[in-house]
Amino acid sequence: MKAFLGTGLLGSNFVKAMLKRGETVQVWNRTASKAQALEATGAKPFDLVADAVKGATIIHLTLKDDATVNEVLESASSGFSPGAILIDHTTTSAEGAIERTNYWKEKGFTYLHAPVFMGPPNALESTGNMLVSGDQELIAQVTPELEKMTGKLINLGPETGKAAGIKLIGNLFLISLTAGLSDVLALAKGLGIDSADVASLFSNWNPGAGVPARFDKIRAGDFSKPSWELNMARKDAGLMIEAAKVNGVNLTVLPAVAAQMDKYINEGHGSDDWSIIAKDNL
């Protein structure tokens, strides 16, 4: 028997998938109605978190942040069964994941951080990606449990907290991508170009396909053989910024990128590949 703490959009769909597999799941949520709503699908809701974990050998969590995870686990701990395994899918800091791993080990319980690149539909369909790192014997033990929940379980090795760090890096990319798309929509609006035309562009030309190669080029650190000179990229950025200004729309990301371009141009790198703007972070 298992327990699931945190039954928001992601957690509730994890629970529904578990129930479809015939598993017995006890659930708790700070907003009790969200846990109670799962009773109709076969879950056993509890008002008190310590009651929800009683008898559970595995306890899953999808909560808000480090502070919430710490608070909920402390409140639940009086109900922990001996040897219970705590599997936390919350996006947290790496430091928090390390501290909790050590803290609960000292108290005789096993904590594993397993953040996900999964939305609610993925949780229901057991698709997407789940990350783990840390004690490899423990990970081998719980792999059959975790593989049932996700399309791909990615083991990042023995370093505790690494999964948390990689999850933050992945989310940073998603946030940056969305902010960039916001700028794209703003410029399209200013130029009177329908967003459907932009969508058509991306359906024919997929810039995302070039991300691995571009990332490898940046990591190599050789910017002396440009495919797009920094001076030319900055010229184009200037055209975009000016077009947005003339048409009364605001760009969020591009002005900061242009400032970084100017820095490297002033340092004499105008003829280098434009990706040199990432050099300081290598």
Side-chain angles (χ1 to χ4, degrees):
M1 194 271 290
K2 61 189 62 174
F4 211 106
L5 311 181
T7 55
L9 294 175
L10 187 66
S12 62
N13 275 1
F14 270 134
V15 171
K16 290 174 184 176
M18 290 174 178
L19 294 170
K20 286 181 179 179
R21 293 193 291 269
E23 299 174 4
T24 301
V25 190
Q26 299 181 169
V27 297
W28 172 89
N29 195 76
R30 192 185 300 274
T31 302
S33 60
K34 292 183 178 181
Q36 292 164 357
L38 291 167
E39 189 170 17
T41 58
K44 298 179 180 180
F46 289 83
D47 292 332
L48 299 178
V49 67
D51 291 338
V53 300
K54 287 180 180 177
T57 55
I58 296 179
I59 301 165
H60 291 274
L61 302 90
T62 54
L63 299 169
K64 179 183 178 182
D65 52 23
D66 286 288
T68 307
V69 172
N70 291 338
E71 177 189 346
V72 170
L73 286 178
E74 280 295 342
S75 298
S77 61
S78 62
F80 288 167
S81 299
I85 299 175
L86 318 173
I87 303 179
D88 185 8
H89 307 290
T90 308
T91 299
T92 70
S93 67
E95 294 82 359
I98 294 168
E99 290 171 1
R100 278 186 292 278
T101 300
N102 296 332
Y103 177 82
W104 289 107
K105 184 176 182 179
E106 290 175 0
K107 290 186 172 291
F109 301 101
T110 301
Y111 171 92
L112 177 67
H113 192 225
V116 300
F117 290 116
M118 299 170 67
N122 298 117
L124 186 61
E125 298 163 3
S126 302
T127 58
N129 296 278
M130 184 179 293
L131 313 176
V132 288
S133 68
D135 184 332
Q136 293 296 290
E137 290 186 7
L138 168 63
I139 291 172
Q141 178 186 344
V142 299
T143 288
E145 164 75 9
L146 299 182
E147 284 184 336
K148 290 186 294 185
M149 299 174 66
T150 186
K152 185 175 184 179
L153 181 65
I154 303 173
N155 185 346
L156 298 165
E159 183 181 342
T160 301
K162 188 173 183 178
I166 292 291
K167 175 61 194 299
L168 291 178
I169 290 167
N171 278 7
L172 170 61
F173 182 83
L174 294 177
I175 291 170
S176 301
L177 176 62
T178 300
L181 289 174
S182 177
D183 272 11
V184 165
L185 288 169
L187 184 57
K189 180 179 180 181
L191 294 173
I193 296 174
D194 193 281
S195 62
D197 292 322
V198 181
S200 177
L201 168 66
F202 290 145
S203 68
N204 289 288
W205 168 62
N206 178 15
V211 169
R214 184 174 301 279
F215 192 59
D216 285 344
K217 181 175 182 176
I218 291 172
R219 289 176 59 235
D222 182 3
F223 307 101
S224 63
K225 301 177 182 64
S227 58
W228 192 16
E229 288 188 357
L230 179 58
N231 280 327
M232 297 304 292
R234 180 62 180 90
K235 180 267 295 181
D236 287 1
L239 291 173
M240 300 167 201
I241 292 170
E242 181 60 24
K245 181 179 179 181
V246 167
N247 290 284
V249 296
N250 295 318
L251 300 180
T252 302
V253 176
L254 187 59
V257 176
Q260 185 77 343
M261 290 177 168
D262 290 339
K263 170 184 178 294
Y264 279 95
I265 289 172
N266 292 336
E267 292 175 1
H269 296 288
S271 296
D272 289 328
D273 190 84
W274 78 284
S275 58
I276 197 171
I277 61 174
K279 181 180 179 182
D280 286 350
N281 298 317
L282 294 177

